[in-house]
Amino acid sequence: MAQNPRTSETDTTPTTGRNDGLSRRSYVRSVAAAAAAVTSFGAAGTASAQGDYEVIEASGQTITVGDGETWENKLLDLTNGQDVVVVTEGSDWTIRNIGVKGRNTSGTGSSMFGISDAGGSSTIENVYLGDGSDERNASSSGHGQTAFWANPEHSGHIDMKNVNIQNFADNAVYGSAPGSGAGGTIHIDRCFAANCYVSHFRLATAGSKVTNSSVLVDEEGYAGRGIWAWAPGPIEVKNCQISMNGQNTAIDAGANGKGTEVVLQDTDYDEQAGIAEHAGSNVRLEGDSGTNPEAFMPKGTPTSAEEAASGSN
């Protein structure tokens, strides 16, 4: 599988454990070039029809979702120990009803989904990545696989709805890079993330937000931050439950010596894990916010790869 080096964003605490000062832009260009040789989705692997969805067997291939395109009802089968990279191009694309079966085995510093919208509005909905990473991707220092990584060149808007991400060795949604790039926004809604490392939902740009979603840390190992807000912000968190069981930080604001603002509304967070405000950051509590979180699976979020691929949830 192609590797994508880290961005120039660096971490402010040892709990993140990595920064090589490189950019992921070269990676996105490389996978886009590789994908240009692919004439159809999954052409580099084996695809078969099953019920109401297509099964694509992983073989280290890259799948591109292009400008204005809808890619839906696919089950990516990783149970043979191989992996898949999905990368988007252009604007107004849709990724819908995608199930990933089997644990990701890729090496350090890569992402399964590389996402960006070039000035329009795109959608990711009903996706299951709940099988996570296997022991070959189990770096507790955060050098493992990211589920979704937003390109710094993302300048449009992406809606993420009903996505289930668990047990990834790096960020579940690494959406902070556009904050030091083209400034695109991401709205995470009705999503669930659990037991990932570095952070679960990581955002940076004004207009980016997490709503009606849940974070859970209840296992040893990948105990990343609940929500990590980077500059410039502000970031909105509304009607969420952040249950950390005392591990890491529930809401972490600011990084790299730059502060930001988080507006926490009608949200419960783990008091023991708490709130961290770096470099003059401010986390403002509004509405019925408190410290008695109860993690939940948002209605309509898939709990298996088959359920996601068929759209039966």
Side-chain angles (χ1 to χ4, degrees), residues 106-125:
S106 68
T108 62
S110 59
S111 61
M112 187 160 188
F113 287 81
I115 57 175
S116 179
D117 180 281
S121 182
S122 296
T123 300
I124 299 167
E125 60 183 347

Side-chain angles (χ1 to χ4, degrees), residues 16-299:
T16 56
R18 90 286 175 276
N19 170 47
D20 62 13
L22 299 177
S23 169
R24 291 201 193 204
R25 292 180 183 178
S26 58
Y27 162 76
V28 173
R29 292 192 188 103
S30 69
V31 295
V38 180
T39 58
S40 63
F41 294 127
T46 302
S48 62
Q50 179 174 319
D52 295 327
Y53 55 85
E54 178 186 18
V55 177
I56 299 174
E57 293 185 10
S59 60
Q61 71 269 46
T62 294
I63 296 171
T64 298
V65 181
D67 190 75
E69 207 153 9
T70 295
W71 188 59
E72 61 187 344
N73 299 109
K74 312 291 183 185
L75 188 148
L76 306 181
D77 188 351
L78 277 56
T79 58
N80 62 0
Q82 299 296 311
D83 294 308
V84 177
V85 168
V86 180
V87 63
T88 67
E89 293 181 345
S91 301
D92 305 320
W93 44 262
T94 297
I95 294 174
R96 178 191 297 126
N97 298 346
I98 306 300
V100 179
K101 185 174 184 177
R103 295 193 167 196
N104 189 281
T105 62
S106 68
T108 62
S110 59
S111 61
M112 187 160 188
F113 287 81
I115 57 175
S116 179
D117 180 281
S121 182
S122 296
T123 300
I124 299 167
E125 60 183 347
N126 203 51
V127 178
Y128 176 84
L129 293 96
D131 292 353
S133 308
D134 81 349
E135 64 276 3
R136 286 167 287 182
N137 193 4
S139 170
S140 61
S141 64
H143 286 281
Q145 182 79 332
T146 296
F148 289 91
W149 171 73
N151 191 319
E153 297 175 1
H154 167 51
S155 60
H157 178 75
I158 297 174
D159 284 308
M160 300 186 69
K161 307 173 184 177
N162 295 121
V163 178
N164 183 345
I165 308 168
Q166 299 183 47
N167 293 103
F168 271 77
D170 203 279
N171 300 265
V173 178
Y174 190 133
S176 58
S180 56
T185 54
I186 299 173
H187 181 190
I188 298 168
D189 185 50
R190 290 170 286 163
C191 293
F192 178 80
N195 301 311
C196 296
Y197 197 70
V198 183
S199 74
H200 291 80
F201 300 136
R202 174 171 169 170
L203 300 171
T205 54
S208 291
K209 52 189 173 182
V210 184
T211 59
N212 307 308
S213 297
S214 185
V215 171
L216 173 65
V217 174
D218 65 351
E219 296 179 6
E220 296 295 328
Y222 299 158
R225 300 165 176 84
I227 294 175
W228 197 5
W230 285 57
I235 304 301
E236 180 183 348
V237 180
K238 183 176 181 180
N239 195 30
C240 294
Q241 298 291 304
I242 315 298
S243 180
M244 306 294 292
N245 287 296
Q247 301 190 65
N248 211 310
T249 307
I251 308 293
D252 202 340
N256 283 358
K258 296 180 180 180
T260 190
E261 182 180 3
V262 178
V263 180
L264 205 67
Q265 185 173 1
D266 301 327
T267 292
D268 283 286
Y269 65 94
D270 178 8
E271 185 175 26
Q272 185 178 353
I275 293 172
E277 298 169 314
H278 305 287
S281 294
N282 178 45
V283 178
R284 189 170 76 245
L285 274 61
E286 296 184 350
D288 188 21
S289 293
T291 56
N292 188 30
E294 295 183 7
F296 67 101
M297 183 66 65
K299 184 178 180 180

